Amino acid sequence: MSQVTIVPTLSRRTEWGRLFWVCVGFVAAVAITALTVQWIAPHDWSAQSLVDSGQGPSSSHWLGTDALGRDIFSRLLAGTRTGLIGPLVIAIGAGVLGTALGLWTGYAGGRVDGLVMRSIDLVYAVPPLLVAIVLVGLFGGGYWLAVVVLIFLSAPGDVRVVRAAVMAQRELPYVAAARTVGVSPFSIASKHVLPNVTPTVTANVLLQFVVGLIALSGLAFLGLGVEPGSPDWGLMIAENRTVLDLNVWAVAGPAICITLLALAVTVIGDRMFEVLTDRTAAR
Amino acid sequence: MAAAAGRRWVTIARFAVRRLAAMVAILAIVSFLVFSLLALTPGDPAVLLLGPQKATPEAVARIRAEFGLDDPFLVQYRDWVVAALHGDFGRSIRSGQQVTDMISERVGVTVWLAGYAFVLTVLIAIPFGLVAGMRKGRLADRLATASSLVALSAPTFAVGFLLMYVFAVQLDWFPAFGSGDGFLDTLWHMTLPAVTLAISQIAIVLRQTRAAAMDVADRDYITFARARAVPSRRIWQRYVLHNASLPVLTSAGLVLAYSLTGAVLVENVFALQGLGALLVVSVAQLDLPVVQALTMFTALLVLTTNLVVDLLYFAFDPRLRRAAVAA
Amino acid sequence: MSDLLLDVDGLDISVEDRLLVRAVGLQLRAGESVGLVGESGSGKSLTARALVSLLPPGLSARGSIRFNGESIDPNARSSGHRGRSIALLMQDPFTMLNPMMTAGDHIAETLRSAGRTEGSIDTEVARRLAEVGITDRAVAHRYPFELSGGMSQRVALAAALANDPALLVADEPSTALDATTQHEVLELLRSIQRQRGMGLVLITHDLRLAFSVCDRVLVMYAGSIAETASSSAMRDAPLHPYTAGLLESMPSVEHYQSDLGGMPGSVPATSTVLDRCAFADRCAHRQDSCTDGAPPLVEVTAGRWSSCIRSHELGRTLAAVEPDDERPEPAAAADAILTVTDLRKTYRAKGGDHVALGGVSFSLAAGEAVGIVGESGSGKTTIARCILGLTTPSAGRIDLGGIDVTDRSALGGAQRRDATQRLQCVFQDPYSTLNPMHTVGYTLREALAHRARRVDDRDAAVASLLQRVGLASELASRRPAALSGGQRQRVAIARALAMDPAVLLCDEPVAALDVSVQAQVLALLRTLHRGQGTSLLFITHDLGVVRQVTDRIVVLYRGEIVEQGPTDVVLDAPQHEYTQRLVASMPRIGAGEPQG
């Protein structure tokens, strides 16, 4: 049953807001860093120096050094690469797979829908991160294996969300109207339904980026995924836990980097969902 | 009335049985996939089972015979399932200990951790989520939303180190390691790990609860209840909480069922010897019998929690109860 | 003035800095009933909410509300008078009750908050249910989803009255109900109000309904009061052109109108018309002085107030003349273009099959307009879905100009395209009938692309379609969100016309529109039918609408046809018991008994 709206809708548009642009700026800065890190990093991030190990912040090492004497600040800058590329591939991969399947099962319904949904129930019977730990661990790890596994473990979430959004749209008269005019099911799904679930899809892709980032860093923290020694935020936390009392930045630095990137992308996703929904709203 | 109530119990029982059957089917498929891990893992399973050092040709032959590795795959699977149903998941490749013994030794720590965190989650997330949803856009909501965003974005292990650094290293209020003896000591030792685990869970449940409460807040029945001067305490309990209960139950069940994932990271940070730590070690050592048993254990936990949540729906929602009677 | 139960003066309601309701005054004596009438955007519901201090979050009110001589703060969050002496009844019976609580619990909790002792509650609940006409004791133990709409609304009324309020504010209490139930609930409301000597503020969009229930009526337009008078005086001679326009726009149930009335344009936002007569832009009697300043509400004759500066001179012109127009001769009998034979549809549902259609047969001749009349659950929407091929009937046959379209999926591509060309549809909800993502032009071009006869210049075709439905061609570049409800429905009609259909199926096309806009759309449909020979199959619950637009009607009740025949014959002398009940339940202007 519909609720009766008694407040006239405000003609004012939902604005992006300053926080959104700050977050976009931050993510852009992270991306630029990832592309240019070999030129802008103050030190070689893999150069070891046992005499300098476990130092606190100083003028030559702004955030100090780790147990092997490597420059934390340079390693944080270099960590933008695995911090960005893996989650991006997961988000896009799972987004494309999940949206396609969600659109198909949600619009077509029937037997395909039942089969896909039952398989998804199956995937959810074991927590995805646990599956990733087992698979990546047993098969000898590797960053890209972790990424591929996480794509397949994340996609079911996208399918569910997109499918629910599509099923809600499918019942609206504009879909029935398109059918009575003679528009083909494929066109209805791609030209009518898809644009209307764009806010959901966009928000979900960005959410998957965050989930991917946290999952990959968790795997790295457990020693799974990225190669030992490579500059990765999750791995840095694991490597530097022993020097926590000597140089807290060796652990806090990467932790803050992961959190800020995840936070920025989450804020962007939430905001995009609100603004896009508002701009596509039926009334 | 009594007859209707009796009939209701019969239909709920029938529903439970149907769900149990579905659960067994899912467990069967999961078990097959889990067992297939052995076959899919690179390398000769016999060498894997022996460990590379001891893999002399004679030893390999012996182990192949002992584990029936020369039998067809499905026969092996059947033998494994039959043994597992009797509580026998074999012995650890590394320690030679019975897998079930290893699990029962470790399970206490994890149950403590997960249970403690769950209590914290429910006590904090649900009230704050309801208030945030009902007072959308006001200070309480903005605080709750912002902190849950940060909690969701911070990796569990990073939160763990932060808490450890502040409350164990700097302030020395709580121990950084160990699981303690006796109830109070355990409570004291487990506080930092449980808070760490709870922080990510609170964020999830709080967001779901807030969304559910926001949906309820706009409903006509809330306005109508206020218009009839129904006391606000009753509005919060019978109207807001009750109508938001389904999504709240679902998300609470989900975090409980998935708490082993968080435990893997938290136990690692605080050096606790629970199931999570056991899983990480076993994966690293390719100790397949332990990995298989733990995976089956998790699947059982997830499916049981889902079943309990489904049954709780009936307790809360009269529509489901009546629909079950009609079916 | 001390005998006033409610005295509202200078009530303003605003959101942030935008004014939504301006300077509303309202006086009510104990036991009196007042109707607050307006279209959407008039501010009537907000005024009602302010009376019970339950404005939606973000809105604030200023001005004085005195109840029994005591001042009420409309912005107060805590309950004061609310509930104890002023009660609120809302529109939608399905959303007003807590789905997790039984009917009895709703009444009991109100009784408890009024301080009843626990022991007396059960018998009191039963007594309260009996007062609203529910004598079946089992109802107290049912949940809202187990009750019909009418039953839920009665339970809600009992719950609202459990505190024995001196004033009941009822916000469109019958709008969401079927006509026959609507009539019963209003009768009940009126009799309880009289028995209890309770004050009643009835908020409604339906002037006829307000006349039949209330002693006095206030007409609101764009946030302020246009006219106030006793029901009988206003019915006989409205003083404000807007009131007169509303009366003319309401399709009469009793007779055919050659002029359907209607006012051009739509209701403006209150904040945009603060310094002028809000109605001036739509008014046929407008003068330059109308827009010089906001006209005050002045007493024109004793007890009659109007905010039209020309009320004195216009008085006689506006008096509602009711010409009994002759219906033009229907077109000579032609061959059937649509024949439905023994149509059945059964839905599989939990706890047994649900029969939506139990064998329905009727036909539509070329150039004819046939109405299918029924309430919710009558199966009228199922008929539409079957004919459109959105669902496949369980049995029966649908013949569309020689093509058997019973099962569309069995048709070949060419035949299916043929069927699409012949039959098009206009749906009910103007807000979701157009894809919000696409411009009006895209929607129309898409339809043109599927037309069998090729269209060379689609942009020109779009412009001419828009012109046919009375819209400017600039609208082609707009998205639905920028259009009013009436404009959207015109675009939906244009989309249907793009296929040049022989039959236009209209599924409640005006049910969601305001009266003044409804009249414009009905006039357009009538033009299409008369002027261009399009056959209309018109599905509706509204007998007034069906009287104006159709030549013949089919009355549907619980999936079966109970009566059919020429519109005027069926409506003037209904034969079947159900049709009689339906016709009797319609609020009408002429037949309301004088109010005492």
Side-chain angles (χ1 to χ4, degrees):
Chain A
M1 281 297 133
S2 66
Q3 295 278 313
V4 180
T5 323
I6 65 166
V7 186
T9 41
L10 295 169
S11 52
R12 198 169 299 154
R13 283 178 143 199
T14 311
E15 294 300 332
W16 292 106
R18 199 188 307 158
L19 182 64
F20 173 82
W21 292 113
V22 169
C23 291
V24 170
F26 180 77
V27 174
V30 170
I32 291 167
T33 308
L35 292 172
T36 61
V37 66
Q38 53 267 55
W39 300 294
I40 64 169
H43 293 270
D44 175 1
W45 55 80
S46 46
Q48 304 183 3
S49 164
L50 290 178
V51 266
D52 294 330
S53 72
Q55 284 182 352
S58 65
S59 57
S60 62
H61 298 287
W62 293 350
L63 292 177
T65 58
D66 66 7
L68 296 172
R70 294 175 294 196
D71 181 50
I72 295 292
F73 184 65
S74 301
R75 289 182 75 72
L76 284 185
L77 294 185
T80 51
R81 298 192 304 191
T82 51
L84 215 47
I85 185 74
L88 199 64
V89 173
I90 292 171
I92 294 173
V96 170
L97 197 65
T99 304
L101 265 180
L103 204 56
W104 183 31
T105 59
Y107 189 74
R111 212 168 286 164
V112 182
D113 184 40
L115 191 70
V116 172
M117 292 323 282
R118 291 296 82 74
S119 329
I120 287 175
D121 288 345
L122 194 67
V123 172
Y124 278 110
V126 185
L129 190 61
L130 218 68
V131 177
I133 290 172
V134 169
L135 289 181
V136 177
L138 291 183
F139 289 94
Y143 184 67
W144 291 107
L145 175 69
V147 168
V148 170
V149 167
L150 285 174
I151 288 179
F152 284 101
L153 293 175
S154 307
D158 290 280
V159 177
R160 277 192 175 172
V161 170
V162 174
R163 174 177 173 271
V166 169
M167 286 174 74
Q169 295 287 326
R170 193 179 62 178
E171 299 308 316
L172 294 178
Y174 79 82
V175 172
R179 277 175 73 182
T180 40
V181 168
V183 183
S184 70
F186 181 79
S187 287
I188 292 180
S190 59
K191 288 187 189 153
H192 284 274
V193 178
L194 185 59
N196 279 293
V197 297
T198 307
T200 310
V201 169
T202 315
N204 212 47
V205 164
L206 289 165
L207 180 73
Q208 295 290 15
F209 178 95
V210 175
V211 173
L213 173 64
I214 306 264
L216 279 177
S217 70
L219 286 174
F221 172 72
L222 295 172
L224 302 166
V226 286
E227 293 294 309
S230 50
D232 176 274
W233 296 333
L235 186 60
M236 281 173 76
I237 296 179
E239 286 172 347
N240 298 333
R241 57 195 297 179
T242 50
V243 292
L244 184 63
D245 46 346
L246 295 176
N247 179 16
V248 68
W249 292 107
V251 171
I256 291 172
C257 286
I258 298 171
T259 309
L260 282 183
L261 182 57
L263 197 58
V265 176
T266 309
V267 170
I268 293 173
D270 279 5
R271 218 57 216 125
M272 283 187 85
F273 180 74
E274 280 170 30
V275 173
L276 289 178
T277 308
D278 184 61
R279 301 207 168 157
T280 61
R283 50 180 84 199
Chain B
M1 279 283 119
R7 202 167 62 225
R8 189 180 308 161
W9 281 114
V10 169
T11 52
I12 291 176
R14 202 180 298 151
F15 170 83
V17 168
R18 251 201 329 263
R19 292 304 309 257
L20 264 176
M23 187 174 145
V24 169
I26 293 185
L27 269 181
I29 300 175
V30 171
S31 73
F32 184 77
L33 296 174
V34 163
F35 186 76
S36 312
L37 280 179
L38 187 68
L40 290 172
T41 316
D44 181 353
V47 179
L48 213 61
L49 289 171
L50 275 168
Q53 297 89 7
K54 292 183 260 173
T56 59
E58 302 82 57
V60 168
R62 184 161 38 77
I63 213 86
R64 292 198 80 88
E66 185 190 329
F67 282 83
L69 290 177
D70 296 319
D71 292 339
F73 182 74
L74 286 176
V75 175
Q76 292 182 42
Y77 171 62
R78 189 201 59 202
D79 294 345
W80 180 74
V81 168
V82 170
L85 286 176
H86 291 89
D88 176 11
F89 281 89
R91 290 174 182 278
S92 160
I93 297 166
R94 302 289 152 170
S95 65
Q97 228 184 329
Q98 276 288 336
V99 172
T100 25
D101 292 346
M102 291 172 79
I103 290 182
S104 50
E105 267 170 36
R106 305 281 197 112
V107 77
V109 174
T110 306
V111 166
W112 245 103
L113 176 62
Y116 194 170
F118 185 68
V119 170
L120 290 176
T121 303
V122 168
L123 288 183
I124 295 170
I126 295 177
F128 280 91
L130 289 181
V131 170
M134 289 295 284
R135 312 239 152 103
K136 186 176 183 256
R138 293 209 251 155
L139 185 67
D141 176 39
R142 276 183 290 176
L143 278 178
T145 310
S147 34
S148 68
L149 264 184
V150 175
L152 270 186
S153 305
T156 308
F157 52 94
V159 174
F161 282 120
L162 176 76
L163 293 179
M164 185 196 278
Y165 184 72
V166 174
F167 294 100
V169 178
Q170 295 292 324
L171 298 170
D172 202 20
W173 289 358
F174 293 97
F177 302 106
S179 49
D181 302 302
F183 182 78
L184 283 179
D185 191 44
T186 311
L187 193 69
W188 186 51
H189 275 85
M190 283 300 194
T191 298
L192 285 186
V195 170
T196 305
L197 182 56
I199 282 178
S200 59
Q201 296 181 346
I202 288 171
I204 294 171
V205 177
L206 192 145
R207 278 167 78 99
Q208 291 292 328
T209 309
R210 174 177 178 267
M214 265 167 58
D215 181 43
V216 172
D218 298 335
R219 298 284 173 163
D220 283 350
Y221 52 75
I222 300 278
T223 309
F224 188 54
R226 291 214 172 108
R228 285 177 294 137
V230 173
S232 71
R233 191 189 158 78
R234 187 173 168 87
I235 292 186
W236 279 101
Q237 289 173 352
R238 288 288 281 164
Y239 285 76
V240 181
L241 180 59
H242 204 149
N243 278 289
S245 58
L246 259 53
V248 172
L249 274 176
T250 310
S251 62
L254 187 80
V255 300
L256 182 66
Y258 281 18
S259 47
L260 192 61
T261 315
V264 168
L265 298 164
V266 174
E267 286 173 11
N268 191 312
V269 171
F270 292 94
L272 296 172
Q273 296 304 310
L275 294 182
L278 180 63
L279 178 73
V280 173
V281 171
S282 309
V283 166
Q285 297 177 338
L286 298 178
D287 197 343
L288 274 177
V290 183
V291 174
Q292 288 170 334
L294 281 174
T295 315
M296 287 311 297
F297 178 80
T298 315
L300 189 66
L301 179 71
V302 171
L303 293 172
T304 312
T305 316
N306 289 349
L307 181 70
V308 171
V309 168
D310 280 352
L311 289 178
L312 279 176
Y313 285 172
F314 278 95
F316 280 90
D317 195 332
R319 282 166 293 199
L320 290 175
R321 281 202 297 273
R322 298 291 163 100
V325 174
Chain C
M1 294 297 268
S2 60
D3 61 335
L4 282 182
L5 180 64
L6 180 70
D7 184 2
V8 179
D9 191 33
L11 180 70
D12 287 353
I13 301 175
S14 49
V15 56
E16 290 165 17
D17 50 355
R18 274 189 334 133
L19 211 55
L20 302 173
V21 168
R22 180 171 54 145
V24 164
L26 165 64
Q27 283 78 35
L28 184 97
R29 287 186 307 279
E32 192 187 17
S33 59
V34 166
L36 207 51
V37 180
E39 296 178 284
S40 49
S42 65
K44 57 188 192 304
S45 286
L46 289 178
T47 307
R49 290 295 188 88
L51 297 181
V52 286
S53 310
L54 277 173
L55 282 173
L59 274 69
S60 61
R62 264 173 321 177
S64 128
I65 301 179
R66 298 182 75 80
F67 181 74
N68 264 337
E70 276 177 63
S71 181
I72 295 181
D73 177 8
N75 300 313
R77 294 298 300 171
S78 64
S79 55
H81 284 270
R82 184 207 303 163
R84 304 203 196 288
S85 36
I86 307 182
L88 173 74
L89 187 65
M90 300 163 77
Q91 171 171 354
D92 189 339
F94 293 105
T95 60
M96 206 184 345
L97 298 176
N98 184 350
M100 304 287 185
M101 266 166 56
T102 61
D105 277 351
H106 282 89
I107 301 168
E109 71 179 1
T110 329
L111 290 170
R112 273 191 210 105
S113 66
R116 296 268 174 170
T117 51
E118 206 54 41
S120 64
I121 290 210
D122 276 357
T123 45
E124 193 61 22
V125 166
R127 198 176 71 78
R128 301 295 180 141
L129 283 174
E131 187 189 5
V132 295
I134 300 174
T135 45
D136 180 1
R137 288 228 160 190
V139 172
H141 300 286
R142 298 227 179 99
Y143 286 95
F145 64 91
E146 297 172 301
L147 301 174
S148 68
M151 204 67 129
S152 292
Q153 196 61 300
R154 284 166 194 265
V155 170
L157 180 60
L161 295 178
N163 285 330
D164 299 317
L167 172 66
L168 175 68
V169 178
D171 188 355
E172 304 260 15
S174 61
T175 308
L177 303 172
D178 275 331
T180 46
T181 323
Q182 191 170 16
H183 186 61
E184 289 164 17
V185 166
L186 284 173
E187 287 292 322
L188 176 70
L189 194 63
R190 184 157 63 167
S191 78
I192 287 180
Q193 183 245 333
R194 293 208 178 139
Q195 274 165 23
R196 288 177 166 241
M198 181 177 67
L200 173 69
V201 176
L202 178 74
I203 284 89
T204 176
H205 66 283
D206 191 337
L207 253 182
R208 290 180 293 207
L209 195 146
F211 289 157
S212 74
V213 175
C214 301
D215 305 328
R216 220 148 40 78
V217 171
L218 279 78
V219 176
M220 288 185 74
Y221 185 78
S224 43
I225 292 182
E227 177 174 0
T228 155
S230 72
S231 293
S232 50
M234 193 185 289
R235 179 173 51 212
D236 295 342
L239 286 180
H240 196 288
Y242 175 62
T243 316
L246 267 187
L247 281 170
E248 276 169 26
S249 304
M250 266 179 284
S252 165
V253 182
E254 288 113 358
H255 57 80
Y256 178 83
Q257 295 157 284
S258 53
D259 178 7
L260 285 169
M263 296 163 241
S266 51
V267 184
T270 308
S271 53
T272 61
V273 287
L274 292 178
D275 55 348
R276 54 193 303 205
C277 170
F279 187 62
D281 288 345
R282 306 174 72 188
C283 185
H285 308 284
R286 171 189 169 166
Q287 287 179 335
D288 288 346
S289 54
C290 290
T291 50
D292 288 348
L297 187 67
V298 293
E299 191 159 19
V300 181
T301 57
R304 304 204 55 181
W305 299 67
S306 163
S307 68
C308 176
I309 54 171
R310 301 189 64 197
S311 282
H312 282 288
E313 36 176 327
L314 290 176
R316 197 155 293 273
T317 342
L318 294 176
V321 243
E322 301 222 337
D324 203 1
D325 293 337
E326 275 301 309
R327 185 186 286 272
E329 277 303 303
D335 289 343
I337 185 150
L338 176 74
T339 313
V340 171
T341 318
D342 197 26
L343 191 68
R344 290 167 192 273
K345 177 74 187 176
T346 307
Y347 288 106
R348 213 165 277 161
K350 276 188 178 166
D353 290 350
H354 167 68
V355 179
L357 288 177
V360 167
S361 308
F362 64 91
S363 69
L364 173 71
E368 197 184 18
V370 169
I372 296 183
V373 177
E375 297 179 302
S376 55
S378 63
K380 60 187 196 298
T381 302
T382 308
I383 293 185
R385 291 185 63 86
C386 287
I387 293 175
L388 287 168
L390 297 172
T391 186
T392 307
S394 312
R397 191 185 138 90
I398 304 169
D399 182 286
L400 180 61
I403 311 176
D404 180 357
V405 293
T406 317
D407 182 2
R408 294 242 175 164
S409 59
L411 293 182
Q415 272 189 320
R416 199 179 309 169
R417 218 167 306 127
D418 237 20
T420 303
Q421 305 296 316
R422 288 186 200 177
L423 176 82
Q424 280 297 307
C425 181
V426 180
F427 296 90
Q428 171 174 359
D429 183 5
Y431 295 98
S432 53
T433 191
L434 302 176
N435 189 336
M437 293 299 293
H438 295 314
T439 61
V440 167
Y442 177 97
T443 300
L444 296 181
R445 276 193 299 274
E446 182 185 60
L448 287 167
H450 287 87
R451 172 164 153 169
R453 197 157 47 77
R454 264 189 57 124
V455 183
D456 292 325
D457 186 352
R458 282 200 195 143
D459 288 337
V462 165
S464 99
L465 278 173
L466 286 173
Q467 194 204 339
R468 275 174 77 189
V469 296
L471 293 175
S473 54
E474 294 92 74
L475 254 52
S477 60
R478 304 248 184 99
R479 280 180 218 280
L483 307 182
S484 70
Q487 288 174 320
R488 291 178 209 205
Q489 210 57 321
R490 284 167 189 267
V491 174
I493 294 172
R495 170 177 56 196
L497 294 180
M499 310 296 281
D500 241 343
V503 180
L504 192 57
L505 195 162
C506 302
D507 186 3
E508 299 269 16
V510 294
L513 301 176
D514 275 325
V515 197
S516 61
V517 180
Q518 174 179 328
Q520 303 164 12
V521 173
L522 288 180
L524 171 63
L525 289 172
R526 209 191 240 178
T527 314
L528 291 175
H529 167 54
R530 294 273 165 67
Q532 298 166 21
T534 312
S535 309
L536 291 184
L537 187 60
F538 202 98
I539 293 174
T540 183
H541 70 283
D542 189 331
L543 295 185
V545 167
V546 94
R547 172 81 87 167
Q548 304 311 324
V549 183
T550 65
D551 310 319
R552 204 155 58 77
I553 61 174
V554 172
V555 182
L556 209 60
Y557 182 60
R558 294 194 178 160
E560 316 243 358
I561 294 177
V562 295
E563 185 164 356
Q564 56 178 316
T567 305
D568 292 339
V569 174
V570 173
L571 293 185
D572 289 343
Q575 296 302 309
H576 190 272
E577 180 267 336
Y578 170 72
T579 322
Q580 290 167 352
R581 201 145 49 86
L582 194 63
V583 171
S585 65
M586 289 286 153
R588 48 194 67 201
I589 293 176
E593 69 267 43
Q595 304 295 312

